[in-house]
Amino acid sequence: MSASSLQALALGDPAAVLLVSRGAGARAAVVLAADAAARDRLGAADGPGDLPRTLEDFRRRAQLPPGSVWDRAGAGDLVTGELLPGDLWCSAGPLPGGGDVLVVLLPVERGHTPRAATSVVAAAPGAALAQVRDGRLVVRGVDSAWTRTTGVQAVDVVGRPARELLRTRDDRAAAELAQALAAPHPVAVTLLDQRADGSDFLHHVRTVPLRDRTGRLCHVLSWHSDVTRRTAVDRTAGARLDVLTRLDAVVGSALDGPRDGVSPPTADRPPPDVDHVLQDVARVLGDQLVAGALFVRVLERSGGSDLVVAAAHGRRLHALVGAHLPRDRAAGPDALLDACTRALTDLADVPAGPGTVAAWLRATCTDAGADPAPALAVPLRGQQDVLGLLLVCPHPSGLGPEDRAVVVGAAARAALLLENSRLHAREHHLAETLQRSLMPDTDGVAGIDGLDVWTYHGPHADHTRLGGDWYDVLPPAADGSGGAVAGIVVGDVVGHDVEAAAAMGRIRTVVRSAAHDVDDPASVLMRVDQLAGGLGIARMASLVYATLQRLDDGGWEMAWSSAGHLPPLLRRGRGPDQRVEVLSEATGTLVGLGDRPRPTRERALAAGDVLVLYTDGLIERRSRPVRDGLEVLVEVLARSSAHDAAGIGEELLAGLGETPEDGTAVVVVRVPEESEVGGEPLPTADTPRRRRWQLPSEPSSIGKARHATLRACAVWGLECGPRAEIVVSELVANAVLHGWGTIGLRLFDLEGELRIEVEDDSPELPEVVEARPDGGGGHGMRLVASLGRWGSTPTRRGKIVWVEISHQRGSS
């Protein structure tokens, strides 16, 4: 067999393989056998009997162009390769030991077709032909390329069983080769084999069965190649592809949600914790590509920024998570952090003067026991600035160009994740600001003279979604224009988005406007129907409006009307005789639906009576329908033992759950006992020993907070009321003067201590400073520090300042 007789462009499936008997003189070459592909090219061939008689017959029936190559092949001349029209590569050569010729046609891919036949470079995998003799496959011949591939000489295998084409003694590999040779169709297998010198290699074998005119298997052509290096390259490329696939899965899940139909992050569904996702990305890189990976985030603050190690994996770098470098704006640009590149940079090539990011990273790696010299860094660039850095420590073998591209791709994915998180945080902050701006000034703390009123507005359990729940407390007008009637509103707009919050704000304004003109609740709601329709408020909404009026005999009268809202609850009696009435009367359609007159109903209120208005977020859960939740609320209110509205509200929240699945608005109104009006001490209550209030950021909140604190201390029977009043006054005053957003006041009666917490949205933490000589400031926190132990805690939106003062319980 000639060394070039079986050359091919690729190891792909052939277009045709023919075994012919060479022509002598004028006698044409006769086709002895062919593979299935050659028969398929004939089109009309239905069986083995349709095999053409001669090579020329095959050419005509296969509609192949004429040419001298057919004459040369039929004559037994060597055809090393010729490109035929139709992108077919033809090679032919005589077989040793007889007058047979093997003709092979291979397709050439259009993208690789040369401009001229002379420019074709033929790949030469080794070839072997086995013949069926007495039911066994025996090697008829091999070419020199097969010898180069295996290191075995032709004389060592010709005439021997075809399984000798492999030198390995692995029974499994031998069985796979035997199955491939016996298969009725082309087969490709890759086996672990041994060369003649004993070295291992990956032996790729492709077999093509040839059948004679009767359809009997007579020969098997096989091509042999060493794919050890190519397989290693493929495995390396596959590993890189696996890294990119895992990175896309980690980051894509964070950006778009898992592939189970979950929607992308929105105001309703925040993205997952960014640091956790970065840790997953670092783990992917550290497990499959580099020796270690470390992510640094840039966290903005007033006057500068903090560089924080957010995630790390490998080479003991994980111990550095949380390490930070403060960076002032006055420090100027940094060669690494302010680089305008997205490429990997060798940390050793970056100037590392004192205070620079490069110097800090080198020291960080050294502290972790990693050699900083081979460390590479790439900035995580957002749309406008750098959001962080990715630092990788390569293996001793280094990083090739393809590996560097994978690292840069990981940095780009991490930057997209950080940018998305930052945009979500900004949108969420704007949405929360809008929500708070639309909520009423919380006049519920001592807002209606002669009544004990407590109000509460809570977000969803995840503290992120907007909603249309709201309340409003309308004290009697100070100038008497509204009479002596106070109003209470609780409502709910359908939806959990900015549009719902905006609709809530508009309806609240409409209610306030209507309540200023008329006193009758039904008339107020009908006016709201008209104005809501005129304003084009598309969202459906429910609300209940109640008025409270002091009578001449000192009692109170309540009147209410409901626009499709949950019924108010009225608790009467004292102690074991307490009973709760569900005020399901005076109910009409939702706001803006229909034009029928709305009803008003009245109830007289006695000392000790409690009125509760609420939204469905208080009682509804996925596991508990509204009807069942209402029954629980009635039960909790009936057994409540608190002696103040704030205490009753705490019992309701504790009994119904502290993590609502929807927004919640609650208003509790309690008619004081005659003894309270006369100034006598309140009875000590064994209720939940905590209270909470929400206050607007305005000076009037200071007095309201003092009043609420003194009342809570009186209810609990604590003698530290005056000291707590001073502390609360100073903390709330600081929140009003130096903070922003809604102020949260919380009191906790602990064992021997009263804990006071004041929360606002400013991240600036308070400090005890020396008093100014002119008396203009510096006294407040010094006074607070002298009254108890204090501290501050950062929160997601701002801070909590807390103070704990010791106390003794007074007599009941």
Side-chain angles (χ1 to χ4, degrees):
M1 177 181 288
S2 170
S4 303
S5 61
L6 300 180
Q7 284 186 329
L9 285 178
L11 290 178
D13 292 332
V17 177
L18 301 169
L19 182 65
V20 300
S21 176
R22 74 177 70 179
R27 187 166 62 88
V30 177
V31 177
L32 301 177
D35 71 333
R39 298 174 188 274
D40 291 341
R41 293 191 68 88
L42 300 177
D46 296 324
D50 292 321
L51 192 65
R53 177 71 182 174
T54 66
L55 183 61
E56 178 63 16
D57 291 339
F58 171 79
R59 183 195 66 76
R60 289 197 304 267
R61 290 180 56 180
Q63 298 181 355
L64 297 174
S68 62
V69 64
W70 303 106
D71 296 334
R72 289 186 284 127
D77 297 335
L78 176 64
V79 180
T80 57
E82 184 169 330
L83 186 64
L84 303 178
D87 298 331
L88 286 177
W89 182 258
C90 178
S91 63
L95 293 173
D100 295 341
V101 179
L102 195 66
V103 181
V104 179
L105 296 177
L106 284 168
V108 178
E109 294 184 8
R110 171 63 64 178
H112 301 287
T113 302
R115 295 184 177 180
T118 57
S119 65
V120 174
V121 178
L129 186 68
Q131 182 179 10
V132 177
R133 296 178 184 173
D134 299 329
R136 297 186 306 156
L137 273 175
V138 178
V139 178
R140 182 175 177 180
V142 297
D143 64 1
S144 59
W146 184 88
T147 297
R148 289 195 302 272
T149 299
T150 63
V152 181
Q153 299 300 317
V155 296
D156 294 332
V157 293
V158 172
R160 300 181 66 84
R163 65 173 179 271
E164 298 291 335
L165 293 172
L166 292 182
R167 288 183 60 84
T168 180
R169 294 298 175 258
D170 186 347
D171 294 339
R172 180 181 300 178
E176 288 188 45
L177 177 63
Q179 291 177 2
L181 293 171
H185 49 75
V187 174
V189 293
T190 301
L191 311 166
L192 181 62
D193 198 4
Q194 288 183 348
R195 298 184 182 87
D197 60 4
S199 61
D200 294 334
F201 75 106
L202 289 177
H203 192 164
H204 185 74
V205 182
R206 292 184 67 87
T207 63
V208 178
L210 305 180
R211 299 182 180 276
D212 62 14
R213 191 171 303 281
T214 65
R216 179 179 60 87
L217 178 68
C218 59
H219 289 79
V220 175
L221 173 66
S222 57
W223 284 313
H224 303 256
S225 56
D226 181 357
V227 296
T228 304
R229 180 175 301 178
R230 189 181 73 189
T231 302
V233 172
D234 291 343
R235 287 178 178 175
T236 302
R240 296 191 190 100
L241 180 61
D242 183 52
V243 172
L244 292 174
T245 301
R246 289 183 61 186
L247 290 175
D248 287 337
V250 170
V251 179
S253 178
L255 293 174
D256 304 326
R259 302 297 188 258
D260 57 1
V262 178
S263 60
T266 62
D268 285 356
R269 188 182 71 86
D273 185 85
V274 174
D275 292 347
H276 288 170
V277 181
L278 291 179
Q279 182 63 47
D280 290 339
V281 175
R283 185 177 296 108
V284 171
L285 294 175
D287 285 345
Q288 296 189 245
L289 198 64
V290 295
L294 180 146
F295 278 103
V296 176
R297 290 184 61 188
V298 177
L299 303 179
E300 296 295 332
R301 58 175 172 80
S302 59
S305 59
D306 286 335
L307 271 65
V308 179
V309 179
H313 183 73
R315 284 199 175 185
R316 299 183 296 277
L317 294 178
H318 61 276
L320 296 174
V321 173
H324 73 284
L325 171 70
R327 185 168 180 264
D328 295 332
R329 300 190 192 281
D334 187 273
L336 185 60
L337 190 63
D338 300 320
C340 297
T341 179
R342 287 184 170 87
L344 274 172
T345 302
D346 193 327
L347 200 59
D349 297 335
V350 180
T356 62
V357 177
W360 174 64
L361 287 176
R362 291 184 187 179
T364 299
C365 291
T366 302
D367 292 342
D371 182 6
L376 305 173
V378 56
L380 308 180
R381 297 195 61 84
Q383 295 181 355
Q384 299 178 348
D385 52 5
V386 174
L387 306 175
L389 294 165
L390 168 59
L391 184 78
V392 295
C393 299
H395 290 291
S397 58
L399 286 178
E402 296 84 359
D403 295 331
R404 286 173 172 262
V406 172
V407 173
V408 172
R413 288 163 172 80
L416 180 62
L417 177 71
L418 293 176
E419 184 77 10
N420 181 75
S421 177
R422 183 168 68 172
L423 291 176
H424 180 273
R426 288 177 178 175
E427 292 177 0
H428 177 57
H429 177 72
L430 292 175
E432 283 189 330
T433 302
L434 172 63
Q435 174 101 4
R436 289 195 302 269
S437 68
L438 296 175
M439 287 303 296
D441 297 338
T442 47
D443 296 320
V445 181
I448 300 179
D449 186 31
L451 292 175
D452 182 11
V453 181
W454 178 82
T455 58
Y456 173 79
H457 182 267
H460 301 74
D462 57 13
H463 296 275
T464 56
R465 297 202 293 173
L466 291 171
D469 300 80
W470 95 96
Y471 68 87
D472 213 345
V473 178
L474 311 176
D479 58 2
S481 58
V485 178
I488 298 176
V489 190
V490 170
D492 190 1
V493 177
V494 175
H496 302 98
D497 51 20
V498 175
E499 184 178 347
M504 176 267 289
R506 298 172 73 183
I507 294 177
R508 170 179 171 256
T509 301
V510 168
V511 172
R512 282 207 163 206
S513 175
H516 186 271
D517 296 333
V518 294
D519 293 338
D520 177 58
S523 300
V524 170
L525 293 190
M526 286 188 287
R527 180 73 62 86
V528 172
D529 289 333
Q530 297 170 355
L531 295 177
L535 292 174
I537 300 176
R539 291 296 181 97
M540 293 188 295
S542 67
L543 67 88
V544 57
Y545 177 68
T547 59
L548 295 163
Q549 184 176 14
R550 189 190 291 271
L551 303 178
D552 294 338
D553 60 2
W556 289 84
E557 183 181 70
M558 180 194 74
W560 83 96
S561 185
S562 174
H565 198 75
L566 293 168
L569 302 183
L570 177 60
R571 192 189 74 182
R572 297 184 181 277
R574 299 173 180 83
D577 297 330
Q578 290 179 167
R579 64 187 184 281
V580 177
E581 181 181 358
V582 180
L583 305 181
S584 56
E585 311 156 75
T587 299
T589 59
L590 297 174
V591 172
L593 299 181
D595 55 359
R596 295 181 179 180
R598 292 186 179 274
T600 295
R601 294 293 183 269
E602 297 87 13
R603 289 289 190 279
L605 303 182
D609 287 351
V610 177
L611 175 67
V612 179
L613 289 78
Y614 54 95
T615 59
D616 58 358
L618 179 66
I619 62 176
E620 187 178 19
R621 300 288 184 277
R622 293 184 181 92
S623 59
R624 183 178 65 201
V626 172
R627 182 183 298 275
D628 294 345
L630 180 58
E631 294 178 357
V632 176
L633 177 61
V634 170
E635 180 182 351
V636 173
L637 179 60
R639 67 170 185 262
S640 171
S641 60
H643 299 301
D644 59 335
I648 296 171
E650 290 292 344
E651 289 183 299
L652 297 182
L653 294 179
L656 274 298
E658 289 284 358
T659 56
E661 296 173 0
D662 198 357
T664 303
V666 184
V667 178
V668 178
V669 180
R670 176 177 171 273
V671 181
E673 302 280 356
E674 296 181 2
S675 59
E676 299 176 51
V677 177
E680 298 180 13
L682 292 170
T684 302
D686 294 324
T687 59
R689 316 293 285 199
R690 65 178 182 181
R691 298 289 186 269
R692 74 189 81 177
W693 297 270
Q694 295 159 318
L695 307 165
S697 184
E698 60 182 32
S700 63
S701 294
I702 301 173
K704 297 172 183 177
R706 289 201 304 263
H707 173 84
T709 302
L710 287 173
R711 186 171 184 82
C713 290
V715 170
W716 289 334
L718 305 181
E719 48 77 26
C720 63
R723 286 181 291 152
E725 180 185 14
I726 295 174
V727 171
V728 167
S729 179
E730 292 295 337
L731 296 185
V732 174
N734 283 342
V736 171
L737 293 174
H738 306 296
W740 59 84
T742 302
I743 299 172
L745 170 62
R746 291 183 289 273
L747 304 179
F748 301 88
D749 181 16
L750 306 177
E751 186 66 33
E753 290 182 327
L754 175 67
R755 182 181 175 93
I756 302 168
E757 293 183 356
V758 174
E759 182 177 8
D760 65 72
D761 291 351
S762 171
E764 296 296 328
L765 302 180
E767 296 179 1
V768 176
V769 298
E770 294 295 331
R772 291 169 52 180
D774 58 2
H779 298 281
M781 290 308 299
R782 292 177 62 85
L783 178 59
V784 169
S786 68
L787 294 175
R789 189 167 62 93
W790 76 282
S792 57
T793 305
T795 64
R796 181 174 60 88
R797 295 191 312 191
K799 66 177 180 299
I800 295 175
V801 182
W802 56 268
V803 179
E804 293 179 350
I805 58 179
S806 60
H807 70 74
Q808 294 180 354
R809 299 189 186 279
S811 58
S812 301

